[in-house]
Amino acid sequence: MVDGENLGTVTPRRGQPDPDALDLPSESQFDVDATAGAPRAAVPDLTDGTVSTPERTTAGDPAEGENLGAKVASGAKWSMLGNIITRAGSLVIGIVVANMVGAEGIGVFAIAMTVGQMLLTFIDMGLGTDLVRGTEEEMERKAPTIATLGMTFCTAGAVALFLGAGAIANALGTPGATALLKVYSLMVFIGGLAIVPQGVLTRRIDQKSLAFAIMANFIVGNALTLGLLFATSIGVLALPIGAVTGMAIEVALFYVFAKRGLRFGWDRTVMRSALGFGAPVAGSNVLQVLLGNVDKLVVAPILGPMRLGHYTMAANISNWPVSVFGLVVRSVAMPAFAHTKPKDRDPVLTLGCQLTWLIAFPIGLMLALFAHDVILFVYNPEFEKSIPLLAILGIYGAIRVMFDTLTGYLYARGNSRAVLQANVAWVIVLFAATWVAARTWGTEGAALAQVFTVVVVALPIFLWSAQKTGASIVDILKSLLPATVACIPAAVVSVLLSRWVDSFHFTGNLRLDSMIGLAVGGLSFLAIYIPLVHKKVRASIAAMRAPVEEPEPVLP
């Protein structure tokens, strides 16, 4: 989903995206690829290249001389820290920007962001993912060719987007997005430069370096965005300008931290192998972007940019679990799974799903339960129409985080086609359901279509694909029970307390009263939930830190 906390920031990649406080669709949400890349990315798996003669890097394989479990835990810590810092800052910035550009401006930006994200995701061609999945030696051998392919695709895409910006904007019923699309063409070009250095850092699970680059992106991009909004009259155009600038800073830091320069090379064997593996990944990543934005592409022409703006605000807030925790999962899931040997009833996936659900589900549920207070505290009464939409979409974001774990597992086991096939079925049903529901019930119908397809279509298909790859559906579903059961009493008590507090209207100020109700509801929820699951969380983390068996090297 187009997520936009980091309004002015973009990071070459997340598959996933997606996004995130203004929660406009954000460049930083280019996290589409659930397999390789920084926690935030303008394109799934973007990185850059080296030369055909493998050159050993100073940093070896993370598994060499260092416990992988500890490396993954450290990576998750740094990724989460970076995301918490950027999300907290974006919450404040998002409120300011939303009030300045209004719902219609957000709707226009959402369309431009979706188009740029889809293009950048597709032309990445899964190259970064292929770079991450092999050994350190294989990565060095592939890097020069992958750099050449990446820059070729991204340059062509950037030119096409710049020249076709007007036609694309008019076709989507948002001519005001033309200038924004032209700016985003620069982001597509910069994305090609990111593929190899970002892939190198991801392969080493060097989330500390990635987190610093992301925070630099966030600070520079958003500072420029706010400066332009306050000092000029360019309006929503300030968002892509800040985003592209922040992304350029981030990519430069990727090279610094990866300790490598821009090097090209060509090897036909590597090219065939990379495209053979990466094409299904690229297709799947584009579909993931569509899955997060089909609703917006349908709502815009049917209901107009103003209602799209209200819908986008709710959709982006519902995407917070994906934005914060999902980015962590995407950053470490595939490298972690790739370092383990496949087993019957693969326990590593069951553990990953359990830990993911223990954290993501209560977050999504609280967003749904306290939608009224969340919207009125974060924004203002102008966005009151977003409240019922968030109540519907809240849990949707939590379920999406599960797909990051499942997708990382399937990629690590070499089953990229299963992800592609699952996403094809998902996006077809989602488009049809959203089109019918939006025309019949408006934005509420579009939100219900999202939840229906993810529960009835997508989740069963992904679980079945995981079982065919070696996991156990029964074990995975059982692992979700502790969090699900613990949320029931927490939800009942917290909702009753929150509504009781809201009825007093202590201050008479809508935003402050909403903040009080949200604080009481959220804290009471956590006060009940955490004691019920803390032992399970600690046990899952301890199991994650345990030493793992290394697989045999993957040959091209």
Side-chain angles (χ1 to χ4, degrees):
M1 350 227 5
V2 180
D3 163 359
E5 276 118 352
N6 304 320
L7 306 178
T9 66
V10 175
T11 334
R13 200 265 194 243
R14 176 190 26 218
Q16 330 21 20
D18 357 45
D20 312 303
L22 160 51
D23 290 303
L24 295 180
S26 174
E27 307 73 42
S28 75
Q29 264 332 166
F30 278 108
D31 285 321
V32 179
D33 184 352
T35 66
R40 295 173 180 288
V43 343
D45 330 303
L46 268 69
T47 15
D48 173 272
T50 352
V51 128
S52 77
T53 303
E55 178 184 14
R56 189 70 181 178
T57 58
T58 56
D61 208 334
E64 296 176 14
E66 185 171 359
N67 180 274
L68 176 64
K71 188 76 172 180
V72 171
S74 175
K77 177 190 70 176
W78 279 105
S79 184
M80 179 66 82
L81 177 63
N83 280 293
I84 289 174
I85 293 174
T86 56
R87 298 299 172 183
S90 294
L91 178 62
V92 177
I93 295 171
I95 294 172
V96 175
V97 174
N99 290 327
M100 294 185 72
V101 302
E104 186 171 0
I106 292 172
V108 171
F109 180 63
I111 289 297
M113 196 67 221
T114 297
V115 173
Q117 185 177 12
M118 288 176 58
L119 177 61
L120 189 51
T121 300
F122 176 72
I123 61 179
D124 167 67
M125 287 302 293
L127 298 174
T129 303
D130 185 61
L131 196 65
V132 169
R133 73 188 185 108
T135 64
E136 183 87 3
E137 290 77 9
E138 290 171 333
M139 180 181 70
E140 290 297 333
R141 180 173 60 85
K142 293 177 179 180
T145 302
I146 285 179
T148 302
L149 289 170
M151 282 308 303
T152 300
F153 294 151
C154 288
T155 300
V159 172
L161 180 59
F162 184 86
L163 296 178
I168 294 171
N170 289 329
L172 292 173
T174 52
T178 300
L180 280 70
L181 288 172
K182 289 184 176 181
V183 176
Y184 278 129
S185 68
L186 295 175
M187 180 182 66
V188 174
F189 174 77
I190 295 172
L193 297 171
I195 293 178
V196 169
Q198 188 173 15
V200 169
L201 294 173
T202 301
R203 178 64 179 78
R204 297 170 184 166
I205 318 183
D206 187 3
Q207 294 302 313
K208 180 177 180 180
S209 295
L210 291 171
F212 278 122
I214 290 169
M215 286 187 279
N217 179 340
F218 170 79
I219 293 170
V220 174
N222 282 302
L224 180 58
T225 296
L226 291 176
L228 291 173
L229 284 173
F230 281 108
T232 71
S233 59
I234 62 176
V236 72
L237 187 60
L239 299 177
I241 292 176
V244 172
T245 304
M247 182 180 176
I249 298 297
E250 182 174 358
V251 173
L253 289 176
F254 284 161
Y255 281 96
V256 173
F257 293 140
K259 296 182 173 66
R260 64 198 305 129
L262 179 62
R263 297 185 294 248
F264 299 103
W266 188 252
D267 184 319
R268 289 187 177 182
T269 302
V270 171
M271 181 271 291
R272 286 193 293 267
S273 173
L275 294 181
F277 174 84
V281 174
S284 180
N285 288 339
V286 170
L287 289 171
Q288 288 182 41
V289 176
L290 275 174
L291 289 170
N293 296 287
V294 158
D295 48 356
K296 298 175 182 65
L297 295 175
V298 171
V299 168
I302 293 177
L303 302 175
M306 180 68 74
R307 296 185 70 180
L308 172 62
H310 292 127
Y311 183 91
T312 298
M313 303 303 282
N316 286 335
I317 291 180
S318 75
N319 201 38
W320 281 356
V322 179
S323 307
V324 180
F325 186 60
L327 293 178
V328 178
V329 173
R330 277 192 286 262
S331 301
V332 301
M334 182 183 170
F337 290 140
H339 281 291
T340 61
K341 290 183 178 180
K343 296 179 180 179
D344 291 335
R345 302 173 69 90
D346 232 336
V348 66
L349 177 59
T350 301
L351 174 64
C353 288
Q354 181 178 67
L355 190 56
T356 298
W357 196 242
L358 282 165
I359 299 175
F361 180 60
I363 297 175
L365 182 57
M366 283 191 288
L367 289 175
L369 294 174
F370 309 125
H372 179 273
D373 289 333
V374 170
I375 292 293
L376 295 182
F377 169 63
V378 174
Y379 303 113
N380 56 53
E382 178 188 354
F383 297 100
E384 197 167 9
K385 293 181 180 179
S386 300
I387 293 173
L389 305 179
L390 180 57
I392 297 171
L393 292 170
I395 299 178
Y396 173 80
I399 300 175
R400 282 293 298 264
V401 179
M402 287 294 296
F403 294 138
D404 291 328
T405 302
L406 293 168
T407 300
Y409 173 78
L410 293 171
Y411 281 151
R413 296 294 183 254
N415 197 359
S416 59
R417 282 179 174 78
V419 179
L420 176 60
Q421 292 164 359
N423 282 334
V424 167
W426 186 2
V427 77
I428 290 173
V429 176
L430 178 60
F431 181 83
T434 304
W435 182 268
V436 173
R439 295 180 70 88
T440 306
W441 299 294
T443 50
E444 288 85 354
L448 287 169
Q450 294 281 317
V451 178
F452 171 81
T453 53
V454 77
V455 174
V456 177
V457 178
L459 187 58
I461 293 176
F462 270 92
L463 289 174
W464 179 249
S465 298
Q467 174 148 306
K468 291 194 297 182
T469 307
S472 167
I473 292 179
V474 174
D475 290 348
I476 292 173
L477 293 179
K478 285 182 178 179
S479 74
L480 308 184
L481 287 177
T484 305
V485 172
C487 280
I488 295 175
V492 173
V493 173
S494 62
V495 167
L496 291 175
L497 283 174
S498 178
R499 290 183 177 178
W500 178 69
V501 170
D502 282 341
S503 67
F504 286 99
H505 305 291
F506 288 107
T507 69
N509 180 288
L510 192 59
R511 174 163 288 170
L512 290 178
D513 286 338
S514 297
M515 180 186 70
I516 294 171
L518 183 59
V520 170
L523 291 175
S524 60
F525 185 102
L526 295 176
I528 297 172
Y529 177 76
I530 292 176
L532 294 176
V533 302
H534 80 281
K535 290 183 179 179
K536 183 65 67 176
V537 173
R538 293 182 64 179
S540 299
I541 293 175
M544 181 181 70
R545 290 177 177 272
V548 294
E549 298 177 276
E550 283 289 316
E552 298 299 321
V554 179
L555 298 177

